[in-house]
């Protein structure tokens, strides 16, 4: 098919009308080399030059130091709030669940702001600056005596002075800046790094895959570094120095990112990512009384998508009530000259309907993942408290004492060890067993992760039972009260099996979940796909906080001296029952997930689109003759 001229080549309004990119080739560095006068342009109006790996020291360096700083700040907050701000365990756990949830939920707003107006580069810039400001303020809460409560003394008889309103206000202000920064960085840093490679060349596609691997590798390094060195400084040297180090690392992260500003490809904002889904919903409602077509695949309104990056989807018979959005009731709904819909809020194409169906199909799976993450929320709250009331010495009573928050490193270590083992040994065996390239499907891998999370909570409950039994035995043998002997003689390293199981669960579920959203969402909605994982984490944190509140209020009985399951002193509570409750909820959620997975249909590709891809697999396609703009409006003459 002949390719017509396109106003504004490359999507830039200042590009000359009538110019079309016919072909490119890769010179090894990922540069465009156009065969006509108008090469594509980025958001700044400059000619696109994909510098690929030349930008990675700045992008990956920024990401590594940012993760070192943010993880080093957040990992030990449970101890900071209980020991410095003198919050109770329950209040600190609720506050951290709310902080974690809001941090992840902010990524949804960051993704929309990026796609609607700012673009990924500006969003990451603003996120880095906001995070740095938040870390500096948090450091001041630890370093300036007037910004935190005075230390407890023996004369206080266990009743330490709490924080004042102004002290809490400064603490909350630091959290708000960190939340805003995470909202800008998390949904945009990964796709921004991928933007630096040319997706239309073989070397560019290989570069994107390698970038994802390096991204997770640096994340692992950041977690290991933060969970050991930085937490040790915070717990054993000084809180303000322990917070000042992450703030300094965040400053280095900002400096690295801005140093590469002249090299980056900056993709223009694409508009409201879910606008197409909203148009389909409105059009289907307006045509709800229209008769259903006998042969929907053949009779519904069909046009190609304006973007060459969006795969043409085949018709599916799920959510058939949305099909009416593509029913042509009269010829007046279609512009005769262009073949486009005159009113995109009344007539949508099959492509737009199928994109809406993709989103609806994913939502039930996403909801089950919210419940799945509740078990992970405990690693930064009650697991740390368990470690604090266990023997954390290495090499005897006089040996090195591991900080409680450092135990959060074990899930990441398990994930790091498992991924290469799975990739090199398990995956080839699964390929032979299932005759599938991916071994087992993404949903099957996610299901395995859910089962492992239930197993982890069962192990956690049994470990807590044993820890408390040893504490009671130690008290009975040596005399004194259970409250006076809060530290159990059980080694804290008995917590490692449950943490390792959570790490394996994450390797199966979370990694597969990110790939699932990336592949199953329509290509023009991938910013939403990137934020979907974080929004699930956010809601799971809120759900975990709500569960803590409900369980604490339901089990505490001060009139009879019962401190409830989640007692301030774990030796007087029943944290094991709380873990078993989470395991039960996770098991029920797993069976719901099985039903959703059985019903789910993976996103396909139209046969016509497959033929087009085979013809033009190396050639970026412009708008073809029968395309309409993405918003469905008739082009101006």
């Amino acid at each position: 098919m002949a390719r017509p001229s396109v106003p504004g080549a490359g999507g830039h309004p200042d590009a000359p009308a009538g110019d079309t990119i016919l072909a490119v080739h890769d010179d090894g560095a990922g540069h465009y080399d156009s065969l006509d006068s108008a090469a594509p342009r980025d958001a700044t109006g400059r000619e696109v030059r994909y510098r690929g790996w030349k930008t990675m020291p700045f992008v990956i360096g920024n990401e590594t130091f940012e993760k070192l700083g943010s993880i080093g700040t957040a990992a030990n907050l449970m101890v900071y709030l209980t020991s410095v701000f003198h919050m109770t365990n329950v209040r600190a756990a609720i506050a951290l669940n709310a902080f974690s949830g809001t941090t992840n939920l902010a990524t949804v707003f960051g993704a929309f702001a990026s796609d609607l107006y700012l673009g990924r580069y500006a969003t990451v810039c603003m996120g880095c600056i906001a995070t740095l400001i938040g870390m500096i303020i948090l450091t001041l809460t630890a370093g300036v005596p007037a910004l935190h409560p005075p230390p407890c003394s023996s004369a206080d008889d266990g009743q330490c002075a709490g924080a004042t309103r102004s002290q809490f206000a400064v603490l909350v202000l630091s959290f708000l800046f960190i939340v805003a920064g995470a909202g800008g960085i998390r949904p945009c840093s990964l796709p921004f790094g991928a933007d630096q490679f040319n997706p239309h060349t073989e070397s560019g596609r290989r570069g994107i895959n390698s970038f994802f691997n390096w991204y997770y590798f640096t994340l692992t390094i950041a977690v290991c570094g933060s969970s050991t060195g930085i937490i040790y400084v915070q717990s054993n040297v000084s809180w303000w120095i322990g917070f000042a180090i992450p703030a300094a690392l965040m400053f280095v992260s900002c400096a690295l990112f801005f140093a590469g500003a002249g090299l980056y490809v900056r993709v223009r904002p694409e508009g409201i990512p879910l606008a197409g889904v909203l148009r389909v919903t409105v059009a289907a409602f307006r045509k709800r009384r229209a008769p259903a077509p006998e042969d929907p695949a053949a009779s519904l309104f069909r046009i190609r998508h304006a973007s060459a990056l969006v795969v043409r989807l085949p018709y599916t018979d799920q959510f058939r009530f949305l099909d009416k959005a593509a029913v042509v009731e009269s010829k007046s709904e279609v512009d005769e000259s262009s073949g486009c819909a005159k009113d995109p809020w009344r007539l949508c194409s099959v492509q737009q309907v199928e994109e809406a169906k993709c989103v609806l199909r994913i939502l039930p799976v996403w909801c089950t993942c919210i419940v799945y993450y509740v078990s992970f929320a405990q690693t930064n709250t009650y697991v740390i408290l368990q470690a604090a009331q266990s023997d954390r010495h290495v090499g005897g009573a006089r040996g090195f004492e591991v900080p409680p928050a450092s135990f959060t490193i074990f899930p990441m270590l398990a994930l790091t060890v498992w991924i290469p083992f799975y990739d090199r040994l398990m995956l080839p065996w699964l390929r032979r067993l299932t005759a599938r390239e991916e071994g087992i499907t993404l949903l099957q891998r996610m299901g395995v992760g859910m089962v492992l999370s239930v197993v982890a909570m069962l192990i956690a409950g049994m470990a807590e039972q044993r820890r408390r039994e040893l504490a009671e035995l130690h008290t009975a043998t040596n005399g004194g009260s259970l409250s006076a002997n809060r530290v159990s003689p059980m080694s804290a390293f008995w917590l490692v099996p449950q943490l390792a199981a959570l790490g394996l669960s994450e390797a199966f579920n979370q990694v597969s979940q990110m790939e699932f959203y990336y592949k199953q969402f329509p290509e023009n909605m991938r910013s939403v796909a990137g934020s979907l994982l974080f929004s699930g984490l956010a809601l799971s944190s809120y759900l975990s906080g709500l569960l803590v509140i409900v369980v604490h209020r339901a089990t505490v009985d001060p009139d009879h001296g019962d401190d409830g399951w989640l007692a301030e002193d774990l030796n007087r509570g029943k944290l094991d029952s709380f873990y078993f409750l989470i395991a039960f909820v996770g098991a029920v959620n797993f069976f719901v997930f099985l039903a959703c997975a059985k019903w789910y249909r993976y996103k396909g590709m139209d046969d016509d689109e497959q033929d087009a891809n085979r013809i033009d697999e190396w050639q970026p396609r412009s708008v073809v003759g029968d395309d309409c703009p993405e918003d469905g409006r008739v082009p101006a003459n």
Side-chain angles (χ1 to χ4, degrees):
M1 178 182 294
R3 304 190 183 278
S5 61
V6 184
H12 192 269
D14 298 328
D19 289 326
T20 304
I21 304 163
L22 297 178
V24 298
H25 75 271
D26 188 17
D27 64 0
H31 297 166
Y32 258 121
D33 212 1
S34 63
L35 299 185
D36 70 8
S37 59
R41 298 176 182 274
D42 66 8
T44 65
R46 300 176 305 179
E47 179 181 338
V48 172
R49 293 180 63 83
Y50 291 97
R51 293 177 173 86
W53 287 108
K54 291 182 180 179
T55 63
M56 288 304 103
F58 306 104
V59 175
I60 294 181
N62 162 262
E63 185 64 25
T64 302
F65 284 104
E66 186 273 327
K67 284 292 184 290
L68 276 168
S70 60
I71 295 173
T73 299
N76 212 17
L77 282 179
M78 185 70 178
V79 178
Y80 182 65
L81 294 180
T82 54
S83 63
V84 177
F85 274 75
H86 307 151
M87 296 175 65
T88 64
N89 291 345
V90 171
R91 286 189 63 195
I94 295 171
L96 283 185
N97 279 316
F99 170 66
S100 177
T102 307
T103 300
N104 287 307
L105 191 62
T107 61
V108 178
F109 298 98
F112 272 78
S114 171
D115 278 357
L116 183 60
Y117 180 72
L118 295 175
R120 284 190 272 269
Y121 172 77
T123 307
V124 174
C125 287
M126 296 172 65
C128 288
I129 295 173
T131 301
L132 177 61
I133 294 173
M135 289 182 178
I136 291 174
I137 296 175
L138 185 62
T139 303
L140 293 177
T141 65
V144 179
L147 296 181
H148 61 255
C152 296
S153 64
S154 57
D156 293 330
D157 193 25
Q159 300 296 323
C160 303
T164 64
R165 289 186 177 181
S166 60
Q167 290 170 342
F168 264 125
V170 176
L171 179 68
V172 170
L173 180 64
S174 69
F175 285 174
L176 289 177
F177 273 103
I178 293 173
V179 165
I185 295 173
R186 292 186 182 183
C188 298
S189 61
L190 189 62
F192 178 77
D195 288 342
Q196 308 313 310
F197 295 92
N198 187 347
H200 300 294
T201 64
E202 183 65 29
S203 64
R205 289 190 289 269
R206 287 198 304 266
I208 292 174
N209 292 332
S210 297
F211 167 70
F212 285 148
N213 293 334
W214 278 102
Y215 181 91
Y216 290 111
F217 178 73
T218 57
L219 175 62
T220 302
I221 293 177
V223 171
C224 293
S226 299
S227 299
T228 52
I230 294 177
I231 288 179
Y232 177 81
V233 173
Q234 292 171 348
S235 301
N236 297 280
V237 180
S238 168
W239 278 106
W240 83 265
I241 295 177
F243 284 144
I245 293 174
L249 292 172
M250 191 64 221
F251 177 79
V252 175
S253 173
C254 293
L256 277 172
F257 188 74
F258 291 122
L263 302 176
Y264 300 139
V265 172
R266 306 179 191 180
V267 178
R268 293 190 70 203
E270 299 175 356
I272 302 176
L274 289 178
V277 177
L278 182 60
R279 280 192 290 269
V280 170
T281 304
V282 172
F285 178 78
R286 294 175 69 178
K287 293 187 175 181
R288 61 190 180 278
R289 304 188 194 283
E294 295 182 2
D295 185 8
S299 60
L300 295 178
F301 181 59
R302 184 183 293 270
I303 56 173
R304 290 173 63 93
H305 198 285
S307 173
L309 299 178
V310 177
V311 170
R312 186 173 170 184
L313 301 174
Y315 173 80
T316 58
D317 60 2
Q318 289 180 319
F319 303 109
R320 297 191 64 174
F321 62 90
L322 293 178
D323 293 348
K324 294 187 177 182
V327 172
V328 181
E329 291 185 307
S330 67
K331 293 183 178 180
S332 62
E333 292 181 331
V334 182
D335 183 75
E336 294 182 1
S337 60
S338 66
C340 299
K342 289 183 178 180
D343 183 0
W345 294 92
R346 185 169 183 84
L347 178 62
C348 301
S349 67
V350 173
Q351 174 73 17
Q352 293 170 314
V353 171
E354 289 303 321
E355 288 176 355
K357 290 181 180 180
C358 283
V359 176
L360 291 179
R361 273 193 291 264
I362 289 171
L363 289 181
V365 176
W366 173 71
C367 290
T368 62
C369 292
I370 295 173
V371 180
Y372 157 74
Y373 278 123
V374 170
S375 59
F376 285 88
Q378 313 315 313
T379 58
N380 288 325
T381 54
Y382 281 101
V383 170
I384 294 176
L385 296 176
Q386 279 182 285
Q389 289 193 226
S390 303
D391 181 12
R392 293 174 278 114
H393 290 90
V394 178
R398 296 184 178 180
F400 174 75
E401 189 174 30
V402 180
S406 292
F407 282 84
T408 58
I409 194 177
F410 289 106
M412 186 57 67
L413 287 178
L415 185 150
T416 305
V417 172
W418 172 256
I419 286 181
F421 173 79
Y422 176 82
D423 187 64
R424 297 298 179 183
L425 297 178
M426 288 290 295
L427 187 56
W429 176 76
L430 288 173
R431 284 171 177 166
R432 292 192 298 269
L433 182 66
T434 64
R436 302 176 64 97
E437 179 64 25
E438 68 272 26
I440 57 177
T441 67
L442 292 173
L443 289 173
Q444 287 171 339
R445 283 158 54 186
M446 290 165 63
V448 172
M450 288 187 174
V451 172
L452 287 172
S453 70
V454 174
V455 172
M457 287 297 98
L458 292 176
I459 297 174
M462 291 186 287
E464 172 60 16
Q465 280 183 337
R466 182 59 177 166
R467 190 202 63 78
R468 197 172 65 249
E469 288 173 358
L470 289 177
E472 294 172 354
L473 180 62
H474 178 71
T475 301
T477 303
N478 297 282
S481 65
L482 192 60
S483 297
N485 298 287
R486 297 185 64 169
V487 178
S488 170
M490 187 188 85
S491 172
F493 288 94
W494 281 105
L495 302 176
V496 172
Q498 72 196 51
L499 295 173
L502 284 174
L504 293 178
S505 172
E506 189 175 5
F508 276 99
N509 187 285
Q510 183 168 322
V511 175
S512 302
Q513 199 180 148
M514 294 184 71
E515 186 177 352
F516 176 76
Y517 296 146
Y518 184 82
K519 290 183 176 180
Q520 295 302 306
F521 254 78
E523 288 77 5
N524 58 323
M525 300 182 192
R526 279 180 174 165
S527 62
V528 178
S531 64
L532 203 62
L533 173 70
F534 293 111
S535 60
L537 286 168
L539 295 178
S540 71
S541 296
Y542 293 139
L543 180 60
S544 177
L546 178 63
L547 190 62
V548 169
I549 294 174
V550 171
V551 168
H552 180 65
R553 291 182 177 178
T555 58
V556 69
D557 187 2
D559 295 336
H560 295 84
D562 188 350
D563 294 340
W565 289 4
L566 305 177
E568 188 69 15
D569 178 6
L570 298 185
N571 295 335
R572 297 174 57 86
K574 293 183 179 180
L575 182 60
D576 51 326
S577 298
F578 182 63
Y579 284 151
F580 290 142
L581 174 63
I582 295 176
F584 173 76
V585 172
V588 173
N589 181 64
F590 170 70
F591 287 106
V592 175
F593 170 80
L594 286 181
C596 295
K598 185 177 181 180
W599 169 82
Y600 186 83
R601 291 186 183 180
Y602 285 92
K603 186 178 75 173
M605 182 185 294
D606 198 320
D607 292 338
D608 294 338
E609 182 75 9
Q610 295 181 43
D611 294 337
N613 283 349
R614 283 193 289 269
I615 295 171
D616 296 332
E617 59 184 358
W618 65 278
Q619 184 174 350
R621 290 174 291 130
S622 180
V623 181
V624 299
D626 55 347
D627 282 3
C628 295
E630 185 178 348
D631 62 2
R633 287 193 293 268
V634 178
N637 293 328

